[in-house]
Amino acid sequence: MIKSVIKQKLLILGLLMAMLIVLAIGCNNQTNTKDNQNEDKVAQQTENVVTYPGIGPNTIAEIVEKASPAVVKIETLVVEEVNNPLLNDPFFRQFFGGNIEPQAKARPGLGSGFIVSKDGYIVTNQHVIDGASKIQVRIKGQDEPIPAEVAGADYDLDLAVLKIKANKDLPTLKLGNSDAIKVGHWVIAIGSPYGLEDTVTVGVISAKERPVDIEDRHYKHLLQTDASINPGNSGGPLFNLNGEVVGINTAVNAQAQGIGFAIPTSTVQEVLDELIEIGRVTRPWMGVQIETVSKELAQYYGLDQDWGVLIGGVVQNSPAQMAGLKPGDIITNIDGKKVTTVDELTDIVESKEVGEKLNVDINRSGQKLQVILKVAERPTTGS
């Protein structure tokens, strides 16, 4: 009897131990599965992160040493006519017979740039060379400046390409992917602020996609950085830690300390070939004066729609006039894409090729219409 009870207890104990072993194995498998899932998530996240292999204490110094020979100093001379204020006096003009000619005054200018081809094409800002009657480039290691000519320029984008004669292959810089750079990434600026050649400053990207207005020029999609950018830095390169150019230093915020801006290389790459080959950037154009419809604007004008883009004026002989668009029309869609702001409409039009047709939906005094518009090249304004 006693032996039978002992056997039963041993059997129960064995079953319990077997159950514990099975549970332990199951928990271990679940833990391994979770670990594997976490590892997979980390691997997926790592794939989307821009990495800079080989970064160390000498990285910046090595980038500067390698890149600086392709960074140039640009010197310009702008000749301006200066009127004698006494010529505003009719008596003075009559006394001297009205034959006094305006005096010419030469104004020097400074900027930076960088070489993008071995045969001597140089990228800089349009405002660096604007109005210059003489342009020359100083290259590291050469005693004398080299005369330069404007191969192409665009006022709106503030970009210009210069050409110098090269007797040998010149050092060049590689354009990187500005879309891949993130806020917080380190960047390096090289240029000639105040004429001080080979000046290096370091900072981070503090913002992206900044719109900035300076005088009558409207910049879009700028990179913002706290790397010091001063007068003379304009046109110089902004590097990532791979030694690639991700921006063209272009402006400094006079209202704040430590904030500068650069044109992203994504913008440069879209137009570089055009600037070199035809000397300008061709832009599709509708020929309308527009503003975003707001609730206040709709109420003021008595519009029956409080969103879209209102046409305030139509340029004579423009694609818009030929398509039958009129002042007061509200553009609601282009090629089936809803349009609610001026920037949205501008982006859509600028993405088209000259000569391409657009299907434009409008609201005209409550009546919905569709017109077909063939975009043309925007006329040059001379600025």
Side-chain angles (χ1 to χ4, degrees):
M1 183 71 177
I2 294 174
K3 288 182 179 181
S4 176
V5 171
I6 292 173
K7 286 182 179 180
Q8 288 178 357
K9 289 182 177 180
L10 288 173
L11 180 61
I12 293 171
L13 182 61
L15 290 172
L16 289 173
M17 290 181 67
M19 290 174 64
L20 289 173
I21 291 172
V22 170
L23 287 172
I25 292 173
C27 290
N28 186 51
N29 288 337
Q30 289 180 353
T31 301
N32 290 337
T33 301
K34 289 181 180 179
D35 289 342
N36 291 335
Q37 290 175 346
N38 290 334
E39 289 175 2
D40 290 341
K41 287 181 180 179
V42 171
Q44 291 174 359
Q45 292 171 354
T46 304
E47 288 177 359
N48 297 324
V49 175
V50 178
T51 58
Y52 300 113
I55 299 301
N58 295 321
T59 297
I60 293 175
E62 291 170 355
I63 290 173
V64 171
E65 182 179 6
K66 183 178 179 181
S68 60
V71 181
V72 303
K73 178 181 178 182
I74 298 173
E75 300 172 341
T76 63
L77 200 64
V78 178
V79 178
E80 300 173 329
E81 287 189 351
V82 180
N83 289 321
N84 190 321
L86 293 178
L87 292 177
N88 296 326
D89 187 335
F91 174 79
F92 186 87
R93 290 200 308 271
Q94 183 179 11
F95 183 78
F96 284 95
N99 295 321
I100 298 179
E101 297 292 334
Q103 296 179 343
K105 182 179 179 181
R107 175 173 56 83
L110 290 171
S112 302
F114 58 95
I115 306 169
V116 292
S117 70
K118 294 180 180 180
D119 57 346
Y121 284 102
I122 295 169
V123 172
T124 186
N125 285 140
Q126 187 273 342
H127 77 258
V128 169
I129 52 89
D130 188 26
S133 58
K134 182 180 180 181
I135 305 171
Q136 56 186 19
V137 171
R138 290 188 180 271
I139 297 178
K140 189 174 182 178
Q142 297 192 23
D143 296 331
E144 297 297 325
I146 303 172
E149 295 181 353
V150 178
D154 186 81
Y155 179 88
D156 291 335
L157 295 178
D158 196 12
L159 290 174
V161 177
L162 306 180
K163 180 66 171 67
I164 60 174
K165 292 182 179 180
N167 298 324
K168 59 179 181 179
D169 286 351
L170 298 174
T172 63
L173 296 181
K174 179 182 178 182
L175 298 181
N177 182 6
S178 60
D179 293 334
I181 200 162
K182 297 182 178 181
V183 173
H185 277 176
W186 286 96
V187 286
I188 309 159
I190 304 179
S192 302
Y194 302 106
L196 302 172
E197 299 176 44
D198 293 327
T199 295
V200 179
T201 56
V202 178
V204 298
I205 295 295
S206 51
K208 296 180 67 175
E209 300 292 328
R210 287 293 198 206
V212 177
D213 291 318
I214 298 178
E215 296 180 350
D216 58 346
R217 199 189 311 255
H218 177 65
Y219 296 91
K220 296 193 296 184
H221 313 302
L222 294 183
L223 298 174
Q224 179 181 308
T225 177
D226 66 350
S228 295
I229 297 175
N230 294 288
N233 269 118
S234 291
L238 188 71
F239 297 93
N240 61 20
L241 292 187
N242 283 333
E244 301 166 332
V245 180
V246 293
I248 292 84
N249 303 319
T250 191
V252 60
N253 189 340
Q255 305 300 319
Q257 295 182 358
I259 297 179
F261 299 95
I263 300 170
T265 51
S266 58
T267 299
V268 181
Q269 289 168 329
E270 290 177 355
V271 300
L272 184 57
D273 289 341
E274 274 191 300
L275 290 175
I276 292 174
E277 293 171 6
I278 65 175
R280 68 183 190 280
V281 177
T282 58
R283 289 185 174 84
W285 177 67
M286 290 179 62
V288 289
Q289 298 160 355
I290 52 179
E291 59 182 313
T292 300
V293 176
S294 62
K295 291 183 179 179
E296 294 77 15
L297 186 67
Q299 184 176 3
Y300 181 82
Y301 284 106
L303 303 175
D304 58 359
Q305 183 173 321
D306 61 2
W307 63 273
V309 176
L310 175 68
I311 297 178
V314 177
V315 179
Q316 189 174 3
N317 298 323
S318 67
Q321 187 185 54
M322 295 177 183
L325 293 176
K326 299 179 180 180
D329 289 346
I330 301 175
I331 298 175
T332 58
N333 292 272
I334 294 181
D335 288 343
K337 185 175 182 180
K338 187 175 181 179
V339 176
T340 60
T341 67
V342 167
D343 285 342
E344 288 178 358
L345 185 146
T346 302
D347 288 341
I348 292 173
V349 174
E350 289 182 350
S351 69
K352 304 298 180 179
E353 298 290 337
V354 172
E356 192 171 349
K357 292 181 179 179
L358 303 178
N359 295 310
V360 183
D361 294 328
I362 61 172
N363 181 335
R364 178 177 292 169
S365 301
Q367 184 180 7
K368 294 182 179 180
L369 304 171
Q370 185 179 84
V371 300
I372 298 177
L373 182 148
K374 185 178 180 180
V375 295
E377 181 179 350
R378 191 178 77 177
T380 57
T381 59
S383 61

